[in-house]
Amino acid sequence: MSASRNIRIATDVVSLLICSLLAGVLVAAAAFPALGMTGLGAKEAADSFQNLPSDLNVPPLPVKSQLVAADGSPITSFFTENRVPVTMKDIPVVMQHAMVAAEDSRFYKHRGVDMQGVVRALVANQQAGEVTQGASTLTQQYVKNVLKYNAKTTKEKRQAEAPTAARKLREMRLALAVEQKYTKSQILEGYLNIAFFGNDGYGIAGASQVYFSKMPKDLTLAEAAMLAGAVKSPTQYNPAAGGKHVAAALDRRNFVLRRMAELGYVSKADADKAKKTPIGLHTSKKQGNCNTGVVAYGFYCQYFLDWWKKQSAFGKNVKERMAALDTGGYRITTALDPRIQDIAQ
């Protein structure tokens, strides 16, 4: 084993131990103000932290299926979540930097849990007497999203989002494990594909389409900053909703641009220039079934759907087959020829 790998392993172990100890002390202090800073409270919390599960099961994400004509032109799509996964090579650096600036400026410095952020949030919340600040890293947010998709029952779904110390501890433990297993690039890619951006945009590719009718690789600085800002509150920062949401999205976008400049991701001049641009929405028409697809192909689409429902290869019953179509990410090329169809019309 190389010396560099030995050093890396030692560093990771020390990081885990330090985070475990600090997490125990901090959570004990937050949950039991009168006793939390005693040795017993910290030790019990740290021991509990170490015993938490550290294996994150990442499920397949729901991906929309696309029905296309013989020449590849779209007919319609089927989905429960408007998502098309993309790899990091298809996500421009400006979008990566915008997300880091918006959600976790120390993403490339911590090992999954940002203890500086935890201490800062704890002090602020204790002084305020309520939760006024969070300390979740991008890795923790990724873990939270994965746990929500893993939830099978109503109880599990509530636990995945409950504002409790137990949930935060679980996320911290899993975040440390995720950073041991994946690179920063892989974690950021996973987060950008799983996050909800509002306006039926799931994942960065879905969001780029519904807001700007383009793929992520073509996003401008201003567009990337707007999308990164939307994740914090997809409803509040959805400019497609109009009214006060447009102003809120602009303010949030400009905050992200300012942070990008402060972190050295873009020049102040470029950030200031982007701030002066309008949102510039170019929303895409929602296509989610045969009724909202290409009108002239409606009967053909229904013919396909009737055929799909009868195919046992896609599920034991109609419900399973439709679930497969809505989440399986199929690309179905039909025999329909648009040119001949137009002549027939």
Side-chain angles (χ1 to χ4, degrees):
M1 185 179 291
S2 67
S4 61
R5 177 161 176 75
N6 281 328
I7 293 172
R8 169 68 183 277
I9 293 175
T11 301
D12 289 344
V13 170
V14 171
S15 175
L16 179 59
L17 291 173
I18 291 174
C19 286
S20 298
L21 177 60
L22 288 177
V25 173
L26 292 170
V27 173
F32 309 103
L35 303 173
M37 296 310 292
T38 67
L40 180 60
K43 182 179 184 302
E44 289 181 346
D47 288 344
S48 297
F49 182 81
Q50 286 283 44
N51 292 329
L52 286 171
S54 60
D55 186 23
L56 182 67
N57 175 36
V58 182
L61 294 176
V63 178
K64 75 175 180 180
S65 295
Q66 301 176 70
L67 187 69
V68 301
D71 63 356
S73 59
I75 295 177
T76 193
S77 55
F78 302 89
F79 58 85
T80 55
E81 295 183 358
N82 185 18
R83 176 186 288 108
V84 178
V86 289
T87 60
M88 210 56 157
K89 66 181 180 61
D90 298 313
I91 304 173
V93 173
V94 68
M95 185 66 238
Q96 299 173 37
H97 286 168
M99 186 56 72
V100 170
E103 293 295 312
D104 183 5
S105 61
R106 287 173 45 80
F107 176 65
Y108 293 107
K109 298 178 180 178
H110 61 66
R111 296 292 295 167
V113 177
D114 184 5
M115 297 316 299
Q116 289 186 24
V118 173
V119 173
R120 183 183 65 250
L122 175 62
V123 171
N125 295 339
Q126 290 281 56
Q127 290 177 345
E130 60 180 350
V131 178
T132 60
Q133 286 189 24
S136 289
T137 63
L138 268 175
T139 311
Q140 286 175 258
Q141 292 179 46
Y142 173 62
V143 166
K144 180 180 178 180
N145 276 283
V146 171
L147 291 176
K148 285 165 61 178
Y149 277 99
N150 275 330
K152 298 294 189 297
T153 66
T154 302
K155 181 181 178 181
E156 289 177 349
K157 290 178 181 178
R158 284 200 300 265
Q159 290 175 339
E161 298 184 287
T164 62
R167 192 210 86 203
K168 296 297 293 184
L169 266 182
R170 183 187 184 196
E171 288 176 6
M172 291 168 69
R173 183 69 180 93
L174 287 169
L176 289 169
V178 165
E179 294 255 358
Q180 297 287 312
K181 186 174 181 180
Y182 301 105
T183 65
K184 290 288 187 180
S185 181
Q186 290 172 320
I187 294 168
L188 186 55
E189 177 185 304
Y191 181 75
L192 283 165
N193 276 308
I194 202 173
F196 178 52
F197 293 80
N199 198 38
D200 273 334
Y202 289 84
I204 186 58
S208 300
Q209 284 289 331
V210 297
Y211 284 112
F212 301 113
S213 296
K214 60 173 62 174
M215 294 304 293
K217 64 182 180 63
D218 299 317
L219 290 169
T220 66
L221 169 59
E223 291 167 348
M226 191 236 98
L227 292 178
V231 172
K232 182 178 181 180
S233 180
T235 299
Q236 180 181 358
Y237 300 125
N238 172 14
K244 63 181 182 180
H245 300 284
V246 177
L250 272 171
D251 288 344
R252 177 67 178 163
R253 181 200 70 177
N254 291 346
F255 163 78
V256 175
L257 288 167
R258 175 170 64 80
R259 289 295 292 141
M260 292 180 75
E262 291 172 351
L263 294 168
Y265 291 141
V266 297
S267 67
K268 185 177 183 301
D270 285 344
D272 289 341
K273 182 179 178 181
K275 288 179 185 178
K276 296 176 182 178
T277 64
I279 290 289
L281 294 181
H282 184 199
T283 56
S284 296
K285 179 182 177 182
K286 180 179 176 180
Q287 293 187 349
N289 51 52
C290 289
N291 295 327
T292 57
V294 179
V295 176
Y297 306 153
F299 289 112
Y300 192 92
C301 177
Q302 190 59 52
Y303 163 78
F304 156 76
L305 206 53
D306 291 340
W307 172 84
W308 180 277
K309 291 177 181 178
K310 298 174 184 176
Q311 305 307 306
S312 60
F314 303 126
K316 293 183 292 186
N317 50 51
V318 172
K319 183 178 179 180
E320 285 191 6
R321 293 162 199 165
M322 287 307 300
L325 182 61
D326 288 339
T327 63
Y330 295 96
R331 179 180 172 86
I332 304 112
T333 302
T334 69
L336 186 143
D337 186 325
R339 184 182 62 82
I340 295 177
Q341 182 72 18
D342 288 343
I343 294 173
Q345 289 294 116

